[in-house]
Amino acid sequence: MLKTERRNEKTTHLDTMPTSEMLAIMQEENLNAARAVETELYAIGQAVDAIAERMRRGGRLFYVGCGTSGRLGVLDASECPPTYGVPHELVVGVMAGGYEALYRAGESAEDSRESGYADLAAHTLTEVDCVVGISVAGGAAYVLGAFDLATEVGALRVALSCNEGCPIEQVADIGIHPDTGAEVVTGSTRMKAGSAHKMILNMISTSVMVKLGHVYENLMVNLQPTNVKLRDRMIRIVCDITGADYATSERLLAENGFTIRAAVTAYRTEEEKQ
């Protein structure tokens, strides 16, 4: 039996526990999920370096998954453009059942290997692209179908599961498998397995973007002024980098298309002239 399908001995009486005890056990298991991620840092690092290298050659990153796994991939992909100013086509979430499955579960979609192949093929996959297949159990036919295409074209294959040696890992170039064990509610892998995968996806996309130069020190220097909060953050970033006051930083951004890099360059040019 898969580790993620076993019953958790700590929660066999979950339905009769007082709320405080129930929450304490959930939080203990959340911490165990974070500890499981720590054991996979080497494999995560391998994935980061391989993805960054291919992206430098024009490659893209595809997250492919079903159910919770697919939703997590779409979430991580959708957050890259506003955070790092990259094109929406650079990091893409591909989900069994399409985007409708984000809010209306269609669990049977994960059983179609042909759909996984076809949905990824619609993006014209190439050898410099990267495919992260996400499946907690590690045997989703939809993900295996996507890996079939990745194998054909020579794209990088990274398997993200919670069961070492699972089918998707057996056909991957890199396997990441945090052992999160039995869930608080048996088989409900949207809980700590999902939490571990969310952390890993955050680590992969963030580290890749740092390596590609979309972060200066620890600042998001490719932000776009799409709302009041981000506009204010951009001004404060220019303040941090240049040492200029808020009003000066806002002026520099306004004069330079609200582009942080251009505003910083303009400031330094002004300083040199003085």
Side-chain angles (χ1 to χ4, degrees):
M1 181 184 292
L2 296 173
K3 293 180 179 180
T4 48
E5 292 296 325
R6 294 174 181 169
R7 293 190 70 184
N8 191 322
E9 294 181 359
K10 301 175 186 176
T11 61
T12 52
H13 302 294
L14 186 68
D15 58 342
T16 60
M17 288 180 184
T19 302
S20 59
E21 184 179 353
M22 187 187 306
L23 295 177
I25 288 179
M26 287 184 186
Q27 178 58 6
E28 179 184 346
E29 293 300 297
N30 288 337
L31 294 173
N32 287 336
R35 295 185 186 101
V37 171
E38 188 171 2
T39 68
E40 296 302 299
L41 292 181
Y42 178 76
I44 297 168
Q46 286 185 308
V48 167
D49 289 340
I51 293 168
E53 189 276 329
R54 285 174 179 250
M55 278 191 165
R56 291 189 188 101
R57 294 189 280 134
R60 299 162 295 169
L61 171 59
F62 292 91
Y63 293 130
V64 181
C66 320
T68 297
S69 296
R71 295 182 190 100
L72 290 173
V74 171
L75 174 61
D76 197 78
S78 68
E79 291 175 342
C80 287
T83 306
Y84 300 109
V86 298
H88 289 275
E89 299 77 21
L90 186 65
V91 184
V92 180
V94 179
M95 180 170 179
Y99 286 120
E100 183 179 356
L102 285 169
Y103 55 89
R104 188 186 298 274
E107 299 302 330
S108 62
E110 72 179 66
D111 295 333
S112 175
R113 193 162 184 153
E114 294 76 16
S115 293
Y117 184 103
D119 288 353
L120 189 56
H123 295 276
T124 316
L125 197 72
T126 73
E127 63 180 4
V128 293
D129 290 328
C130 310
V131 180
V132 176
I134 314 167
S135 170
V136 169
Y142 185 87
V143 176
L144 287 167
F147 274 180
D148 288 341
L149 176 62
T151 300
E152 285 183 15
V153 304
L156 178 74
R157 299 155 300 174
V158 178
L160 177 55
S161 74
C162 285
N163 289 285
E164 184 176 5
C166 62
I168 65 169
E169 188 171 291
Q170 291 174 15
V171 295
D173 301 297
I174 300 169
I176 303 171
H177 45 254
D179 183 1
T180 53
E183 294 285 358
V184 169
V185 175
T186 305
S188 182
T189 52
R190 73 183 185 89
M191 300 184 76
K192 60 179 178 176
S195 295
H197 280 186
K198 178 66 169 74
M199 286 187 275
I200 290 169
L201 294 174
N202 282 346
M203 295 167 85
I204 289 173
S205 59
T206 301
S207 299
V208 167
M209 292 300 154
V210 171
K211 284 183 166 291
L212 294 178
H214 298 299
V215 174
Y216 172 74
E217 294 183 347
N218 62 350
L219 300 171
M220 294 182 283
V221 290
N222 284 349
L223 279 176
Q224 302 299 312
T226 52
N227 61 31
V228 172
K229 179 188 71 174
L230 294 179
R231 181 186 176 96
D232 173 69
R233 182 183 296 165
M234 292 176 72
I235 296 168
R236 289 185 288 104
I237 286 173
V238 173
C239 291
D240 286 340
I241 294 174
T242 65
D245 61 29
Y246 192 94
T248 299
S249 297
E250 185 174 22
R251 173 183 63 80
L252 289 165
L253 282 165
E255 293 174 351
N256 291 276
F258 248 82
T259 302
I260 291 173
R261 295 177 188 272
V264 170
T265 299
Y267 174 83
R268 290 172 177 167
T269 300
E270 288 182 5
E271 287 291 289
E272 290 173 359
K273 291 178 178 179
Q274 293 179 2

Coordinates of all heavy atoms in Angstrom, one line a residue, residues 14 16-28:
L14 N -10.3 10.7 15.2 CA -10.4 12.2 14.8 C -11.8 12.7 15.0 O -12.0 13.8 15.4 CB -10.0 12.3 13.4 CG -9.9 13.7 12.8 CD1 -8.7 14.5 13.5 CD2 -9.7 13.7 11.3
T16 N -14.0 12.1 17.2 CA -14.4 12.4 18.5 C -13.5 13.3 19.3 O -13.7 13.6 20.5 CB -14.5 11.0 19.3 OG1 -13.3 10.4 19.4 CG2 -15.6 10.1 18.6
M17 N -12.5 13.8 18.7 CA -11.5 14.7 19.3 C -12.1 16.1 19.6 O -12.9 16.6 18.7 CB -10.2 14.9 18.5 CG -9.3 13.7 18.4 SD -7.9 14.1 17.3 CE -7.1 12.5 17.3
P18 N -11.7 16.7 20.7 CA -12.1 18.1 20.8 C -11.3 18.9 19.8 O -10.2 18.5 19.3 CB -11.6 18.4 22.2 CG -10.6 17.4 22.6 CD -11.0 16.2 21.8
T19 N -11.8 20.1 19.4 CA -11.2 20.9 18.4 C -9.7 21.2 18.7 O -8.9 21.1 17.7 CB -12.0 22.2 18.3 OG1 -13.4 22.0 18.0 CG2 -11.4 23.1 17.2
S20 N -9.4 21.5 19.9 CA -8.0 21.9 20.2 C -7.1 20.7 19.9 O -6.0 20.9 19.4 CB -7.9 22.3 21.7 OG -8.3 21.2 22.5
E21 N -7.5 19.5 20.2 CA -6.6 18.4 20.0 C -6.5 18.1 18.5 O -5.4 17.7 18.0 CB -7.2 17.1 20.7 CG -6.3 15.9 20.6 CD -6.8 14.7 21.3 OE1 -7.8 14.8 22.1 OE2 -6.3 13.6 21.2
M22 N -7.6 18.2 17.8 CA -7.7 18.0 16.4 C -6.7 19.0 15.7 O -5.9 18.6 14.8 CB -9.1 18.2 15.8 CG -9.3 17.9 14.4 SD -10.9 18.4 13.8 CE -12.0 17.5 15.0
L23 N -6.7 20.2 16.0 CA -5.9 21.2 15.4 C -4.4 21.0 15.8 O -3.5 21.2 14.9 CB -6.3 22.6 15.8 CG -7.7 23.0 15.3 CD1 -8.0 24.4 15.9 CD2 -7.8 23.0 13.8
A24 N -4.2 20.6 17.0 CA -2.8 20.3 17.4 C -2.1 19.2 16.6 O -1.0 19.3 16.2 CB -2.7 20.0 18.9
I25 N -2.9 18.2 16.3 CA -2.4 17.0 15.6 C -2.2 17.5 14.1 O -1.2 17.1 13.5 CB -3.3 15.8 15.6 CG1 -3.2 15.2 17.0 CG2 -3.0 14.8 14.6 CD1 -4.1 14.0 17.3
M26 N -3.1 18.3 13.6 CA -2.9 18.8 12.2 C -1.7 19.6 12.1 O -0.9 19.5 11.1 CB -4.2 19.6 11.8 CG -5.4 18.8 11.5 SD -6.7 19.9 10.9 CE -8.1 18.7 10.9
Q27 N -1.4 20.4 13.1 CA -0.2 21.3 13.0 C 1.0 20.4 13.2 O 2.0 20.7 12.5 CB -0.3 22.4 14.1 CG 0.9 23.3 14.2 CD 1.2 24.0 12.9 OE1 0.5 23.9 11.9 NE2 2.4 24.7 12.8
E28 N 1.0 19.4 14.0 CA 2.1 18.5 14.1 C 2.4 17.9 12.8 O 3.6 17.8 12.4 CB 1.8 17.4 15.2 CG 3.0 16.5 15.4 CD 2.6 15.3 16.3 OE1 1.6 15.5 17.1 OE2 3.4 14.3 16.4

